[in-house]
Amino acid sequence: MEIPQPLQAPGPIKPITCVEMHTAGEPTRIIWNGIPPLTGTLLEQRAQAKSKFDEFRRVLMLEPRGHYDMYGAILRPETELVASGKAHIGVLFMHNEGFSTMCGHATIALGRFLVDVDEKVFPRRKELKYDSKSRTTTLNLHVPCGVVEVTVPTLGSGKSDASRPVSFVSVPSFATAISLQIPLPEKYRWAELHGKTAVTADFAYGGAYYCMISAEELGFLSGLGEIRLQDMDHATKLLKEAVVSNPDLQYLTQDTRTAEDGFLYGIMITDTRLGHVSAAEGTAAARVQLDAGSEETGLCFFANQQIDRSPTGSCVAARVALAHAKGTLSVGEKRIYNSLVTRAYRGLSGFAGSVFDDAGSSGGDQRSVRVCVEGYAYYTGYHSFVVEKEDGLGVDGFSMRDIAL
Ligand SMILES: O=C(O)[C@H]1NCC[C@@H]1O
């Protein structure tokens, strides 16, 4: 793929150049040029991005260049694991509130992008191995939670093949609590509870920490069949606050390499009653399908109540680890995870998730499994962003939601 040249904008403006993709409807703004100087290990680079250059995130994620639900990936060609040969390239993930530890949908998009670009953008591109039997290229991506192995379908020309799914193998993933009662002090209760003072939920890690709760348990008795976004936003926000503020529940998110990464990233509302949808039921004919035995739908609120359009790859890893811990998904068995978008638009495909291997058997944590997540990503365009010096808004991105809600 030809990478476009940055705009030659007037004045002392540094253009930021991005390629745009979507994975199951969720955007990834891949930033490859105009990135501020970040040095050291990947986590040190993330700390500098947070403390010194937060305007870089705000200007690209928030309005008028982004929107409340925008997602970004910053390429980091130099990291400690790239230097030691354990990874080919690093990446930092960002969203409306800050930086995340892992992102599956962006990993799927990055897989295609990194196979398609040249050494100018991806210095170690030449080191990637092409397997002619499976017609795939594999690469190791250094993400804040560790290293994920990405397998990208590749055409004879060396470019990525959009007609087959990209897959990645997650970092060791595990359930942290099954059917846990979460007490809800009065200030954390919402209308649909109708007097209930606690809810039951599951917790799991898939590179980031998630809480899984059924729509019914939240009080939405029609499940995700009736989508009440604002009410679900309110309920998940309160539930997250109830978990995060409860000292007895801190252990649920404290099992990571760094204390900074042990936080509850998202609430996934599940609905197992919404099983398979035939192509005829969707709004578009199915073009791509992943084969799997079972299928379920979810809606994920993450970061500052951002809504994932995709089935949330890192949460698929968490959900597969959870299903395995519950004994409902055996090694190698595939399950399809839909988002509301992939359920509605059957021209898109959900993510397939399966237990890849038992991380415990290779010397890791006994409870952990590595999960294989598969999905499709597509290019949507490219941007060269500028900020003119006369622009009164400067680099202060805003969100209409903060003003209006
Ligand atoms: O697919 C994922 O894992 C992500 N999508 C947005 C929120 C998560 O980081």
Side-chain angles (χ1 to χ4, degrees):
M1 189 182 60
E2 293 268 310
I3 293 294
Q5 290 308 300
L7 275 182
Q8 287 306 307
I13 299 162
K14 270 210 162 170
I16 300 166
T17 317
C18 314
V19 165
E20 311 276 342
M21 299 186 75
H22 85 89
T23 312
E26 178 74 355
T28 305
R29 175 160 284 170
I30 301 173
I31 303 122
W32 65 273
N33 192 36
I35 300 165
L38 304 173
T39 55
T41 65
L42 186 66
L43 296 188
E44 284 164 359
Q45 295 184 41
R46 185 181 64 181
Q48 291 155 24
K50 278 186 190 170
S51 63
K52 295 209 229 150
F53 304 107
D54 199 47
E55 77 241 22
F56 181 76
R57 179 189 63 80
R58 290 202 314 272
V59 81
L60 290 170
M61 294 296 100
L62 302 181
E63 298 183 50
R65 294 167 191 79
H67 57 82
Y68 202 78
D69 297 301
M70 177 50 81
Y71 205 93
I74 309 175
L75 293 188
R76 303 312 308 137
E78 304 293 339
T79 77
E80 73 282 19
L81 296 187
V82 174
S84 68
K86 291 199 173 85
H88 295 101
I89 191 165
V91 65
L92 294 174
F93 299 120
M94 60 185 180
H95 46 64
N96 70 5
E97 187 182 44
F99 291 79
S100 49
T101 53
M102 173 55 192
C103 179
H105 90 269
T107 295
I108 290 169
L110 282 161
R112 285 200 60 204
F113 174 79
L114 291 169
V115 162
D116 288 339
V117 289
D118 59 21
E119 289 87 63
K120 207 167 61 183
V121 174
F122 178 12
R124 303 222 166 185
R125 167 69 185 88
K126 272 216 175 91
E127 293 173 19
L128 302 188
K129 297 257 180 314
Y130 172 70
D131 176 47
S132 56
K133 208 162 148 223
S134 60
R135 292 176 296 128
T136 57
T137 305
T138 46
L139 66 104
N140 291 337
L141 190 62
H142 185 187
V143 292
C145 64
V147 174
V148 289
E149 190 182 306
V150 191
T151 301
V152 186
T154 311
L155 299 165
S157 61
K159 298 297 176 199
S160 69
D161 177 359
S163 69
R164 291 183 285 144
V166 173
S167 63
F168 70 87
V169 177
S170 75
V171 295
S173 303
F174 48 86
T176 50
I178 294 176
S179 299
L180 187 72
Q181 276 242 323
I182 314 293
L184 295 170
E186 193 138 6
K187 62 177 174 175
Y188 299 121
R189 294 187 199 150
W190 54 92
E192 289 75 10
L193 288 172
H194 294 299
K196 257 200 320 189
T197 58
V199 287
T200 302
D202 295 327
F203 291 81
Y205 176 80
Y209 286 97
Y210 290 95
C211 164
M212 268 61 66
I213 184 161
S214 75
E216 256 184 288
E217 184 64 19
L218 274 182
F220 296 91
L221 301 182
S222 321
L224 288 171
E226 185 198 1
I227 302 149
R228 291 169 47 195
L229 275 189
Q230 251 182 348
D231 297 334
M232 289 178 172
D233 172 57
H234 184 64
T236 52
K237 190 171 181 260
L238 290 176
L239 173 59
K240 193 174 186 181
E241 281 168 19
V243 174
V244 169
S245 65
N246 186 336
D248 295 340
L249 300 179
Q250 302 302 303
Y251 75 94
L252 292 170
T253 56
Q254 271 173 356
D255 221 343
T256 18
R257 295 178 307 154
T258 67
E260 207 190 344
D261 291 330
F263 61 91
L264 184 59
Y265 182 46
I267 307 273
M268 173 64 79
I269 307 179
T270 60
D271 189 340
T272 43
R273 293 174 310 178
L274 287 181
H276 182 72
V277 204
S278 69
E281 278 180 83
T283 53
R287 278 185 289 118
V288 284
Q289 287 293 340
L290 294 156
D291 263 349
S294 52
E295 183 161 340
E296 55 183 71
T297 301
L299 172 65
C300 183
F301 289 86
F302 69 97
N304 189 7
Q305 295 302 103
Q306 203 166 322
I307 297 179
D308 198 342
R309 274 65 172 161
S310 86
T312 315
S314 49
C315 191
V316 166
R319 288 164 86 184
V320 166
L322 181 66
H324 188 63
K326 286 181 174 179
T328 62
L329 197 69
S330 47
V331 177
E333 190 187 340
K334 272 192 199 178
R335 181 167 290 170
I336 294 288
Y337 293 88
N338 278 307
S339 65
L340 292 180
V341 173
T342 63
R343 194 179 152 78
Y345 293 93
R346 298 302 286 180
L348 293 174
S349 177
F351 292 169
S354 55
V355 175
F356 178 77
D357 67 10
D358 175 355
S361 59
S362 50
D365 184 325
Q366 289 304 318
R367 299 169 307 166
S368 304
V369 292
R370 291 193 305 160
V371 176
C372 177
V373 181
E374 292 173 72
Y376 293 84
Y378 306 98
Y379 291 99
T380 56
Y382 58 85
H383 269 107
S384 281
F385 289 109
V386 293
V387 180
E388 289 192 284
K389 66 177 185 322
E390 295 81 1
D391 183 347
L393 188 61
V395 288
D396 283 332
F398 67 91
S399 161
M400 196 59 200
R401 215 167 117 135
D402 290 341
I403 299 168
L405 296 184

